[in-house]
Amino acid sequence: YVMLLTLSPYTPTYRDRVAPPGVMIRPHLNGFNIAFNVSQRSTWQPYVDSMHRFLQAYDDKVQEEKNIECVAGRYFIQRGPEDEQKKACRFRRSLLQSCSGIGDPTFGYSQGQPCILLKMNRIIGYRPGAGVPVSVDCKVQKGNESDLRSVDFYPGNGTFDLMYYPYYGKLTHVNYTSPLVAMHFTDVKRESVVPIQCSLNGEGIVNDVNNDRFLGRIIFTLSIGK
């Protein structure tokens, strides 16, 4: 009991096993195989519905009501007592542009140009990139590189802005919404299973551990039919 009293409910005492960050994608319905036929709405509508549900917390009005405008390009370090509620920076879904679901409610799935969202796992106190924003790139994983001809990244050129870090934990950073990078696969080979690897790149990022497919990278397949 005395030892428990020395532990903080806000910050883990030992964090050596959680950094660097892993990543996850949305939508995530049937494992990591995203497969649909453009002409069959029933095959891609579940992905679209999943995206809309996930992005509800990122609606512009919600973000404007709960969070604050921050200075881009630098960490948002908040001093004060450990148990003091922390402010969170706005991440509006409109920043995702063509992948926001605003202009195109189908996120490109109805045209065979699907959007996929990437987010880093939350790590209390972590400052990714050592002062330089972490970026994302995608390539064919063990296959014909020409199968993936074009990918657009949002916001900007596909980076996680520093202002969303560090994260202070769910007890005090209650309105925090993880920043996202949207990957818009605008030209992928049709009628074929295309294995894709999307990776984080930046100082301190690890993305080449063979037995961990989520550490600094994620591997999934795209299968787009007519």
Side-chain angles (χ1 to χ4, degrees):
Y1 175 74
V2 173
M3 293 180 67
L4 288 174
L5 292 178
T6 67
L7 300 179
S8 169
Y10 305 102
T11 305
T13 302
Y14 299 104
R15 291 179 287 170
D16 58 316
R17 297 184 63 186
V18 294
V23 295
M24 183 51 70
I25 58 169
R26 294 291 187 277
H28 179 222
L29 298 180
N30 305 308
F32 296 95
N33 304 310
I34 297 176
F36 62 95
N37 293 322
V38 176
S39 61
Q40 295 179 281
R41 186 185 188 97
S42 62
T43 63
W44 51 258
Q45 189 64 49
Y47 296 116
V48 171
D49 293 341
S50 175
M51 294 277 276
H52 278 295
R53 286 193 299 269
F54 176 73
L55 287 173
Q56 283 179 353
Y58 293 87
D59 283 345
D60 288 19
K61 287 186 177 180
V62 173
Q63 289 292 310
E64 289 167 6
E65 290 173 0
K66 293 185 175 182
N67 296 333
I68 66 170
E69 200 70 41
C70 296
V71 179
R74 69 185 190 191
Y75 297 121
F76 184 29
I77 299 173
Q78 303 180 62
R79 313 293 183 185
E82 190 177 40
D83 60 350
E84 183 178 80
Q85 184 168 322
K86 303 298 190 291
K87 298 176 181 179
C89 298
R90 292 171 181 162
F91 190 101
R92 303 179 182 89
R93 68 185 294 175
S94 58
L95 292 173
L96 302 175
Q97 300 181 47
S98 297
C99 289
S100 66
I102 299 173
D104 176 12
T106 72
F107 298 96
Y109 284 80
S110 63
Q111 288 85 42
Q113 299 179 335
C115 288
I116 297 176
L117 306 178
L118 184 79
K119 75 180 193 72
M120 278 195 269
N121 293 345
R122 297 179 181 182
I123 301 174
I124 295 176
Y126 183 61
R127 303 180 194 179
V132 179
V134 172
S135 63
V136 177
D137 67 24
C138 297
K139 61 183 180 181
V140 174
Q141 200 257 349
K142 295 182 180 179
N144 191 334
E145 293 183 1
S146 64
D147 290 351
L148 178 59
R149 292 180 282 269
S150 178
V151 188
D152 294 330
F153 297 91
Y154 308 105
N157 56 353
T159 58
F160 293 92
D161 198 285
L162 301 180
M163 67 181 173
Y164 299 106
Y165 305 97
Y167 169 61
Y168 289 93
K170 64 181 180 180
L171 293 181
T172 57
H173 225 161
V174 293
N175 291 327
Y176 182 84
T177 42
S178 298
L180 307 169
V181 165
M183 305 169 296
H184 193 188
F185 294 90
T186 54
D187 193 357
V188 181
K189 183 179 179 181
R190 302 285 183 94
E191 304 294 334
S192 181
V193 178
V194 182
I196 296 172
Q197 174 177 293
C198 294
S199 305
L200 302 179
N201 298 285
E203 185 70 28
I205 297 295
V206 177
N207 59 18
D208 57 358
V209 178
N210 290 331
N211 60 355
D212 192 338
R213 61 182 291 181
F214 303 107
L215 184 62
R217 63 173 180 166
I218 194 160
I219 300 168
F220 56 92
T221 62
L222 273 179
S223 180
I224 305 173
K226 296 180 181 178

